[in-house]
Amino acid sequence: QVQLVESGGGLVQAGGSLRLSCAASGIISSIYSMGWYRQAPGKQRELVAHITTGASTNYADSVKGRFTISRDNAKNTVYLQMNSLQPEDTGVYYCHALLKSGMKISDDWGQGTQVTVSS
């Protein structure tokens, strides 16, 4: 069984910064990609940023230039540095991983961490 545990959410004023972390643990053969999604109240979950094992990244247009995703493959951990936060960045941020556990390929989700940006 694989667990993704997020940390780093909280309340911040507009223009501030937060850094999210997500550590994967359990029986993990390899991790193909990891990413962050967010869900604002009343809205669908959307991709924020994504990174592959080879460090190829992609970002939602709304966060380009403000957010940076990075990954520590040795620690099975992904980070999201969020700068110049705006109220529209408010939501629950979920970590996602596409990985191989034993002989099974699966995608797993964290429990979510709340990010609130006040104006």
Side-chain angles (χ1 to χ4, degrees), residues 7-117:
S7 61
L11 173 64
V12 65
Q13 287 189 328
S17 299
L18 285 173
R19 187 187 193 218
L20 305 182
S21 300
C22 171
S25 62
I27 301 174
I28 299 172
S29 303
S30 58
I31 298 179
Y32 302 116
S33 66
M34 299 186 80
W36 291 94
Y37 289 72
R38 69 186 178 193
Q39 188 165 18
K43 294 189 176 181
Q44 288 189 328
R45 191 175 297 188
E46 62 175 358
L47 173 70
V48 175
H50 174 267
I51 185 168
T52 66
T53 303
S56 174
T57 60
N58 68 288
Y59 296 90
D61 287 343
S62 60
V63 307
K64 283 181 181 176
R66 300 188 297 123
F67 291 11
T68 302
I69 189 169
S70 60
R71 178 173 165 178
D72 186 332
N73 291 331
K75 295 181 179 180
N76 290 337
T77 299
V78 65
Y79 306 95
L80 185 69
Q81 178 65 44
M82 305 186 293
N83 298 328
S84 302
L85 282 161
Q86 300 301 316
E88 52 266 34
D89 295 316
T90 294
V92 179
Y93 283 67
Y94 296 91
C95 176
H96 172 266
L98 177 64
L99 54 85
K100 186 175 183 181
S101 176
M103 298 299 291
K104 177 186 173 186
I105 296 175
S106 65
D107 55 345
D108 292 87
W109 294 88
Q111 80 284 356
T113 185
Q114 177 71 43
V115 171
T116 303
V117 184

